[in-house]
Amino acid sequence: MCGIIGITGCLDVPEAILEGLARLEYRGYDSAGVALQVEDGLWVSRAANGSKSLADLRRAVSGAPGSCRAGIGHTRWATHGKPSEVNAHPHQDCKGTLAVVHNGIIENHFEIAAKLSAAGHELVSSTDSEVLAHLVEEAIAEGASLVDAVRACMKKVRGSLAMVVVHASDPELMVAARRVSPLIVATADAAGLVASDVPALLGWATAMYALEDDEVAEVSPGGVLVSDASGARVEPARLEVDWDVGAAQKGGFDDFMLKEIHEQPDAVAGTLMGRLSPSGEVLLDEMRIDDDELREVEKVFIVACGSSYHAGLVAKYAMEHWARTAVEIDIASEFRYRDPILDSRTLVIGVSQSGETLDTLQAIRYARRWNAKVLVVSNVVDSSMAREADGVIYTRAGPEIGVAATKTFLAQLVALEVLSLYLAGLRGTLYPAEISGLLDSMRELPAKVAQALEGSKDIFDVAARFASAEEFFFIGRHVGYPVALEGALKLKEISYLHAEGYPAGELKHGPIALLEEGTVVVGIATRTRLWEKMMANVAEVRARGAMVVLVANDGDEETAALADATLWVPSTHPLFAPVLDVIPLQLFAYALARARGNDVDRPRNLAKTVTVE
Ligand code: F6R
């Protein structure tokens, strides 16, 4: 999510770092910072001015003292702690002798921060990352070298991290380490480099190496030494990269949308991280609404637009089933004009990846005027909605650049399902053992999302068979219905083909009249509770001459037998099925749009964030 660059030994380190950060700008960021090794120690500067932060930083760096031998830079996309100068990286230890940049989420940071504070450390930010600086400081104070101190720090933290540390006592050394979050080290002519991703290094690096989990690298102008968690030397894996900067920013994919679709396992894992305790409880750190108040909630309203509304629809099924709370769901632009009945025992949940969509923002403002509790599910820390809400659940999908929502949609689904189980726990509508079992299934989702992507490899061939079709219906039942709506929306948005999403059982009450030879009906036919009824609906459309594409569980030949083409996904708990079932539909829309030559990242007439009514 965040961008990291580190350079040692080249002629103009500050300029190279700023250039590297500019190349990471495409990832989206809210603040940025650098730490430079100058003659009299570390010189640190940070800026938190949204997309203008890099310009601010450039101005500050032009006034940095003396010559510089090495430095690290960071672009931050906030996950813990709002975007602000004090929360921007690099973070420092108590004495200001070392600086750290970090990407990832440290799950046990509260626990570590408490111990560090008790031991006399002064933590100044509200990030999870700052503990890294103090843990390294502590190990050095106990006599460790910088590299051993980083290794010791890695042993104390849980979660995902890519980190780079510099220390004033060794001005040409950078120590880099990773777990889960990627980090690349590289060599160049008499220079050493490190970065979170390839684009930042292109043109400079003569050889790039990907660090593996728990490996630590010492990067200096003379080269790169990599060791494992025990300190034993390892030969790092060399990366063969022949991309240009544009392709590299898209991770080798043709466009951001495809890249973001393939980032979905991480988006789901990031959103779950730290929220499912090993003992089977749900932990929601930014919830801020009192458990007692949540227990007393008599009614829930979900307000959202577009894909976020579809995620909300799935949540309605999950929340009503597990937490036994009545849930109404509203398109945000309609909500405040229909006179909804709200009071202090109402919980209004605004779902918005951007946290800025005006209709949803106005809906939650309206709810607050009526004394309702407001909870927001947002992908942007400190977005307008997050600031105005009583509580927040952040999806941690990382910035989404493609206009059509993909990874943020999956992240919203899992965040809302986590919330549903949290409410069920509070309200005692599920036994702890039931919740724990569901959390176990949830933990499997990132791997299953990856499996679903793997299983969709032939999507271009499948889509090619329907390339000349003009009319598409997407049908589903129960939670398959919101998936059908989302599949149709994706197709409309990027392929400009006419697509309708319908509850499968409703088709015969009207729209079935539109079916004719050549109409394509895409059905969500995974083995959820209403599968048999769904198959009866599929038979109805086949009888009218429609071509049928079905989303089915891996190996379910009985379902595939009724389809002209099958899109395979792994099976999971029925209420988690939307997380997987929507994936081939995103790819189906993508493949048809590309076949029509459309710009999938910037579809016509659409804006990523709609801040007008
Ligand atoms: C669909 C899409 C839009 C958004 C909608 C709400 O692919 O991206 O429908 O879902 O504009 O946006 P947020 O979630 O930012 O409120």
Side-chain angles (χ1 to χ4, degrees):
M1 298 174 200
C2 302
I4 290 178
I5 174 89
I7 299 179
T8 177
C10 74
L11 284 180
D12 191 350
V13 169
E15 186 51 41
I17 289 177
L18 289 167
E19 159 79 26
L21 290 177
R23 290 188 192 178
L24 294 170
E25 210 175 345
Y26 75 95
R27 297 163 63 106
Y29 71 106
D30 47 52
S31 47
V34 296
L36 304 178
Q37 294 274 19
V38 294
E39 265 143 39
D40 41 357
L42 278 175
W43 182 88
V44 174
S45 179
R46 295 175 291 191
N49 191 10
S51 59
K52 300 198 187 82
S53 304
L54 278 188
D56 289 1
L57 205 57
R58 179 169 282 283
R59 268 191 296 279
V61 166
S62 66
S67 65
C68 167
R69 294 157 77 179
I72 50 178
H74 188 267
T75 48
R76 176 171 189 249
W77 170 264
T79 55
H80 284 83
K82 64 181 186 174
S84 66
E85 210 171 303
V86 74
N87 287 338
H89 299 217
H91 290 288
Q92 293 201 266
D93 60 335
C94 298
K95 297 190 286 296
T97 48
L98 66 86
V100 178
V101 287
H102 165 236
N103 181 12
I105 295 165
I106 297 170
E107 288 183 38
N108 55 339
H109 71 104
F110 283 125
E111 194 185 310
I112 296 175
K115 281 192 196 149
L116 287 166
S117 301
H121 289 262
E122 201 188 328
L123 279 77
V124 292
S125 76
S126 43
T127 65
D128 54 335
S129 310
E130 194 188 353
V131 297
L132 297 172
H134 295 270
L135 284 175
V136 174
E137 176 185 27
E138 204 165 60
I140 288 177
E142 284 163 12
S145 63
L146 184 58
V147 64
D148 287 339
V150 169
R151 221 187 312 277
C153 160
M154 295 282 287
K155 293 204 173 106
K156 292 193 172 153
V157 293
R158 278 202 317 271
S160 60
L161 73 162
M163 67 190 274
V164 187
V165 191
V166 288
H167 195 286
S169 67
D170 197 345
E172 292 197 323
L173 177 69
M174 301 185 293
V175 177
R178 74 157 282 207
R179 182 181 303 142
V180 185
S181 303
L183 200 60
I184 298 156
V185 290
T187 51
D189 291 337
L193 304 152
V194 55
S196 51
D197 41 2
V198 172
L201 300 178
L202 286 175
W204 294 325
T206 45
M208 294 192 210
Y209 307 91
L211 288 185
E212 298 295 332
D213 275 353
D214 291 301
E215 284 181 353
V216 180
E218 294 157 84
V219 184
S220 61
V224 170
L225 291 180
V226 181
S227 47
D228 65 14
S230 70
R233 283 283 304 280
V234 288
E235 235 6 87
R238 187 165 173 165
L239 286 176
E240 297 307 329
V241 179
D242 56 2
W243 303 332
D244 60 22
V245 175
Q249 289 183 332
K250 292 169 190 157
F253 292 100
D254 287 345
D255 25 58
F256 284 110
M257 182 178 175
L258 194 59
K259 172 174 177 267
E260 285 158 2
I261 289 174
H262 283 85
E263 284 171 350
Q264 293 184 122
D266 287 344
V268 171
T271 303
L272 293 179
M273 192 170 280
R275 288 175 169 157
L276 317 183
S277 86
S279 55
E281 284 148 28
V282 177
L283 311 170
L284 291 176
D285 45 359
E286 304 101 346
M287 167 56 90
R288 301 197 301 248
I289 305 175
D290 209 43
D291 282 355
D292 286 335
E293 287 179 322
L294 285 174
R295 265 185 213 101
E296 280 164 20
V297 162
E298 282 169 356
K299 188 155 198 182
V300 175
F301 285 82
I302 299 177
V303 289
C305 304
S307 294
S308 300
Y309 172 78
H310 300 154
L313 261 177
V314 173
K316 173 180 162 67
Y317 287 85
M319 226 170 261
E320 290 191 336
H321 181 72
W322 286 326
R324 306 305 297 146
T325 320
V327 180
E328 283 196 38
I329 167 137
D330 277 71
I331 297 273
S333 54
E334 291 294 318
F335 181 67
R336 66 191 199 280
Y337 301 113
R338 74 169 176 90
D339 224 358
I341 300 161
L342 309 170
D343 60 26
S344 60
R345 294 198 162 197
T346 313
L347 174 68
V348 174
I349 305 174
V351 185
S352 172
Q353 77 80 20
S354 62
E356 303 294 343
T357 301
L358 191 68
D359 286 319
T360 314
L361 183 59
Q362 296 291 22
I364 66 164
R365 283 180 178 158
Y366 178 90
R368 282 181 71 94
R369 282 202 291 280
W370 285 90
N371 277 333
K373 304 271 164 308
V374 171
L375 177 67
V376 158
V377 176
S378 171
N379 195 45
V380 181
V381 172
D382 222 30
S383 55
S384 301
M385 280 182 225
R387 286 199 304 272
E388 294 190 23
D390 298 300
V392 196
I393 301 179
Y394 288 119
T395 50
R396 303 188 196 118
E400 190 171 65
I401 294 168
V403 164
T406 53
K407 63 175 181 171
T408 55
F409 176 70
L410 254 68
Q412 286 171 342
L413 289 175
V414 295
L416 288 162
E417 307 236 35
V418 165
L419 172 66
S420 305
L421 291 172
Y422 184 75
L423 293 177
L426 284 183
R427 300 165 76 87
T429 48
L430 287 179
Y431 290 110
E434 289 175 297
I435 296 180
S436 181
L438 287 161
L439 297 192
D440 285 343
S441 307
M442 224 175 209
R443 282 190 190 90
E444 294 171 357
L445 283 175
K448 289 191 173 179
V449 170
Q451 241 175 290
L453 289 168
E454 191 61 32
S456 298
K457 283 223 153 108
D458 62 347
I459 198 77
F460 280 91
D461 297 337
V462 176
R465 294 169 51 195
F466 305 96
S468 57
E470 296 288 336
E471 291 289 328
F472 289 78
F473 280 84
F474 287 72
I475 58 171
R477 302 192 72 128
H478 197 256
V479 287
Y481 162 49
V483 174
L485 291 178
E486 179 63 9
L489 180 61
K490 288 289 91 89
L491 191 64
K492 285 185 246 209
E493 285 182 297
I494 59 171
S495 74
Y496 318 140
L497 284 161
H498 183 231
E500 295 288 342
Y502 257 93
E506 182 67 8
L507 213 58
K508 57 184 164 302
H509 297 285
I512 204 164
L514 293 171
L515 298 190
E516 54 189 9
E517 294 282 328
T519 310
V520 179
V521 176
V522 182
I524 320 305
T526 46
R527 294 276 176 159
T528 52
R529 203 155 55 102
L530 298 183
W531 175 82
E532 279 179 358
K533 292 185 192 299
M534 179 67 201
M535 294 317 279
N537 298 136
V538 169
E540 286 160 12
V541 303
R542 279 187 77 87
R544 269 87 188 166
M547 286 193 288
V548 174
V549 180
L550 293 181
V551 179
N553 287 131
D554 289 337
D556 182 358
E557 296 300 339
E558 193 183 349
T559 299
L562 272 192
D564 296 294
T566 309
L567 307 175
W568 300 106
V569 291
S571 53
T572 179
H573 183 284
L575 283 168
F576 299 146
V579 176
L580 305 176
D581 295 356
V582 77
I583 292 168
L585 303 187
Q586 297 169 334
L587 287 162
F588 186 70
Y590 175 85
L592 283 172
R594 285 295 306 269
R596 295 166 70 88
N598 297 353
D599 178 347
V600 295
D601 284 340
R602 280 176 297 273
R604 71 184 184 204
N605 304 339
L606 297 179
K608 181 74 186 154
T609 305
V610 184
T611 52
V612 290
E613 237 195 285

